[in-house]
Amino acid sequence: ELKVEQNPLFLSMQEGKNYTIYCNYSTTSDRLYWYRQDPGKSLESLFVLLSNGAVKQEGRLMASLDTKARLSTLHITAAVHDLSATYFCAVLSRGGGGADGLTFGKGTHLIIQP
Amino acid sequence: DTGVSQDPRHKITKRGQNVTFRCDPISEHNRLYWYRQTLGQGPEFLTYFQNEAQLEKSRLLSDRFSAERPKGSFSTLEIQRTEQGDSAMYLCASSLGRENEKLFFGSGTQLSVL
């Protein structure tokens, strides 16, 4: 059974600082997603990572994937308050019918303080 | 493109009652997914449709749950004889069904079973 673990689960940081969220998963997968969720809202797709060594950047967020280590990171550079949200990583787990069920981590609740 | 639409946004019901939720995916998307999210957790995969065919069900989907997508467009998720443990946010997502693509999530239906 695929397990996805995020670390940390809660993070409070100051504006302007850098930090990294880690996502470990237990079995081989060929797709990893990062999502953002604001309170009471749905999930917004941030990144899709497909191959070992993949790196994607959008604004102050950068995601990377190491499939050998089964590890993805989401790095935040010079954080701003607007990035406060819960961040989820999700890993593709293929079912018997070939379905693309995503297994999500528990999420990292990020608070960025002025 | 109005995004993935879910109805209702909130549902309060008494234990033992039946409830039905509706999801309208993005119009050209042929894949539709249902997930469940409880407070402080990541979404959990429930089931998946490719057009009108239900291709995968999670073991989380007990026999009290049934999902349909009769014409390959909108989908319904019914819960019979609701229990307090069914209280959660029910999220619908859709995708084009191509490789390496994002899932687009709706805003969810928040179910409270009293």
Side-chain angles (χ1 to χ4, degrees):
Chain A
E1 179 186 348
L2 175 60
K3 294 187 178 180
V4 180
E5 293 187 355
Q6 288 183 236
N7 179 44
L9 297 181
F10 181 83
L11 176 59
S12 179
M13 56 192 293
Q14 288 186 316
E15 280 191 328
K17 300 290 186 182
N18 303 332
Y19 209 81
T20 300
I21 300 169
Y22 298 89
C23 175
N24 289 91
Y25 53 100
S26 60
T27 63
T28 302
S29 177
D30 56 7
R31 230 185 290 177
L32 188 141
Y33 297 75
W34 283 96
Y35 284 89
R36 168 183 173 148
Q37 187 175 38
D38 292 295
K41 305 288 186 181
S42 191
L43 287 87
E44 174 190 354
S45 178
L46 296 174
F47 301 108
V48 182
L49 301 170
L50 306 173
S51 60
N52 189 41
V55 177
K56 290 196 175 180
Q57 183 164 3
E58 180 80 28
R60 300 174 187 274
L61 301 178
M62 183 174 70
S64 66
L65 177 62
D66 181 343
T67 57
K68 293 179 181 178
R70 297 176 187 162
L71 170 68
S72 180
T73 61
L74 181 65
H75 186 73
I76 303 157
T77 302
V80 293
H81 178 69
D82 286 351
L83 290 178
S84 297
T86 300
Y87 292 86
F88 292 96
C89 68
V91 180
L92 176 66
S93 52
R94 294 202 184 272
D100 297 343
L102 294 181
T103 299
F104 282 79
K106 290 187 175 182
T108 296
H109 184 50
L110 175 63
I111 296 176
I112 299 169
Q113 298 175 348
Chain B
D1 178 3
T2 58
V4 179
S5 177
Q6 292 189 246
D7 183 70
R9 290 294 306 275
H10 304 275
K11 179 71 177 178
I12 300 174
T13 191
K14 293 183 179 179
R15 190 175 52 185
Q17 298 294 305
N18 300 342
V19 294
T20 300
F21 312 139
R22 177 180 170 122
C23 171
D24 287 90
I26 295 172
S27 59
E28 64 269 25
H29 285 188
N30 54 37
R31 288 189 181 177
L32 187 148
Y33 308 77
W34 285 98
Y35 286 83
R36 179 177 71 186
Q37 185 178 23
T38 53
L39 196 62
Q41 302 294 317
E44 297 171 297
F45 172 73
L46 292 179
T47 190
Y48 150 74
F49 290 85
Q50 172 86 23
N51 298 312
E52 66 275 9
Q54 189 173 17
L55 296 186
E56 188 74 18
K57 295 183 190 179
S58 163
R59 64 180 181 277
L60 295 173
L61 212 67
S62 76
D63 57 5
R64 296 185 298 106
F65 289 70
S66 62
E68 294 182 345
R69 194 182 183 198
K71 297 181 180 179
S73 56
F74 74 92
S75 176
T76 58
L77 178 68
E78 181 184 14
I79 309 174
Q80 296 181 327
R81 305 181 303 281
T82 52
E83 302 173 355
Q84 288 185 325
D86 297 331
S87 295
M89 173 76 83
Y90 290 84
L91 294 165
C92 176
S94 71
S95 71
L96 280 166
R98 296 176 187 160
E99 287 294 316
N100 312 328
E101 59 158 1
K102 300 176 183 179
L103 272 64
F104 293 84
F105 282 83
S107 297
T109 294
Q110 180 67 53
L111 173 66
S112 298
V113 181
L114 305 178

